Amino acid sequence: MAATRVLLLALVAWPAAAAQDSLLNICMDAKHHKTEPGPEGQLYGQCALWKENACCTANTSLEAHQDQSYLYNFNWDHCGAMPEKCKRHFIQDTCLYECSPNLGPWIDQADTSWRKERILHVPLCREDCEQWWEDCQDAVTCKVNWHKGWNWTTGTNQCPQGAMCQKFKYVFPTAADLCEQVWSHSYRYTTHRRGSGRCIQMWFDPAQGNPNVAVARYYARGAAVAPPGPPLLILLALLPLALLALL
């Protein structure tokens, strides 16, 4: 009976553990990401937080800081110069997206030609969202969703015809609106605070380690206990045969 119990536990636990591990320490299949994470000692500027284990290259980290880089030909200054205190948050957002190997639980299929995967509903810490909004409220934009709807006829993004440039605080009335809408729900506003282990930090002190490792593990564990999928059902179907072999 003891052997049967051990076998049963192993058969049930294995798919859950495998599912959890598959969401940890990975890079998404997107335009500039490495195929797997690893050390990048020369990461530039704000992206240096991830130099111990990164999904981005040094060149990608450098381009993330440019006003109109080759990464996506995206112009932050589409309604006039974006203030530096605001721009640093978009640079940090880019660094997190390009460099973090801890976004596995939120990787989803993408519906665009330039990438196969994206992130969806990443739970950002309250302070990160609110400071982002605070520093950008007087910056100016003409669109809510920056993922689509631009005029690209010049090769870089321009406001579509008829769109009016307005301050962020009118386009995005709350911090949640900014974090959740600007990149079509890549992020989710949460009330969790930095250090809680329940939200992803855009900003952290690398000398204290990367807190997002534990956050990804927490949410991966939650995904692993989701309703059984086909692999688990197959194993359960084979369970009677395994038990007969013990008789």
Side-chain angles (χ1 to χ4, degrees), residues 81-239:
M82 177 181 284
E84 289 302 318
K85 69 176 183 177
C86 174
K87 189 174 296 182
R88 72 188 189 99
H89 291 278
F90 283 96
I91 291 172
Q92 197 69 10
D93 153 53
T94 303
C95 288
L96 175 69
Y97 169 78
E98 299 289 349
C99 302
S100 176
N102 309 121
L103 301 175
W106 305 281
I107 291 177
D108 196 27
Q109 295 300 305
D111 59 357
T112 56
S113 60
W114 52 274
R115 61 178 179 177
K116 293 182 179 179
E117 294 178 331
R118 59 164 294 185
I119 50 173
L120 186 66
H121 299 149
V122 174
L124 279 189
C125 293
R126 176 178 178 176
E127 296 94 330
D128 291 73
C129 271
E130 292 186 349
Q131 194 61 53
W132 192 354
W133 186 86
E134 184 68 27
D135 288 344
C136 289
Q137 60 175 315
D138 290 323
V140 183
T141 186
C142 57
K143 282 179 51 55
V144 173
N145 186 345
W146 288 14
H147 260 155
K148 56 187 178 181
W150 296 100
N151 176 358
W152 289 95
T153 54
T154 62
T156 188
N157 59 301
Q158 293 182 312
C159 294
Q161 187 175 4
M164 182 174 63
C165 290
Q166 303 179 78
K167 289 187 175 183
F168 269 48
K169 60 187 174 184
Y170 303 125
V171 178
F172 307 106
T174 68
D177 291 332
L178 172 59
C179 287
E180 295 182 354
Q181 296 178 19
V182 70
W183 298 126
S184 57
H185 299 283
S186 292
Y187 299 121
R188 176 170 59 86
Y189 175 86
T190 77
T191 56
H192 298 304
R193 295 192 174 274
R194 293 175 183 169
S196 66
R198 299 295 182 267
C199 58
I200 291 293
Q201 295 183 206
M202 290 176 64
W203 308 83
F204 58 88
D205 180 0
Q208 303 298 318
N210 184 343
N212 296 331
V213 175
V215 177
R217 185 176 296 114
Y218 171 79
Y219 284 97
R221 188 165 61 244
V225 298
L232 179 55
L233 293 176
I234 292 171
L235 285 172
L236 291 176
L238 294 175
L239 181 59

Side-chain angles (χ1 to χ4, degrees), residues 26-99:
I26 62 170
C27 302
M28 74 184 85
D29 187 354
K31 190 173 183 179
H32 300 291
H33 289 70
K34 293 157 50 177
T35 55
E36 59 184 38
E40 289 286 342
Q42 300 300 314
L43 291 190
Y44 179 80
Q46 293 175 215
C47 294
L49 302 187
W50 288 274
K51 68 179 182 179
E52 299 300 326
N53 192 34
C55 287
C56 62
T57 63
N59 194 50
T60 295
S61 73
L62 177 62
E63 288 294 324
H65 291 72
Q66 306 305 313
D67 285 342
Q68 192 171 315
S69 77
Y70 81 89
L71 293 181
Y72 304 102
N73 292 323
F74 196 89
N75 180 20
W76 308 120
D77 303 329
H78 50 268
C79 277
M82 177 181 284
E84 289 302 318
K85 69 176 183 177
C86 174
K87 189 174 296 182
R88 72 188 189 99
H89 291 278
F90 283 96
I91 291 172
Q92 197 69 10
D93 153 53
T94 303
C95 288
L96 175 69
Y97 169 78
E98 299 289 349
C99 302

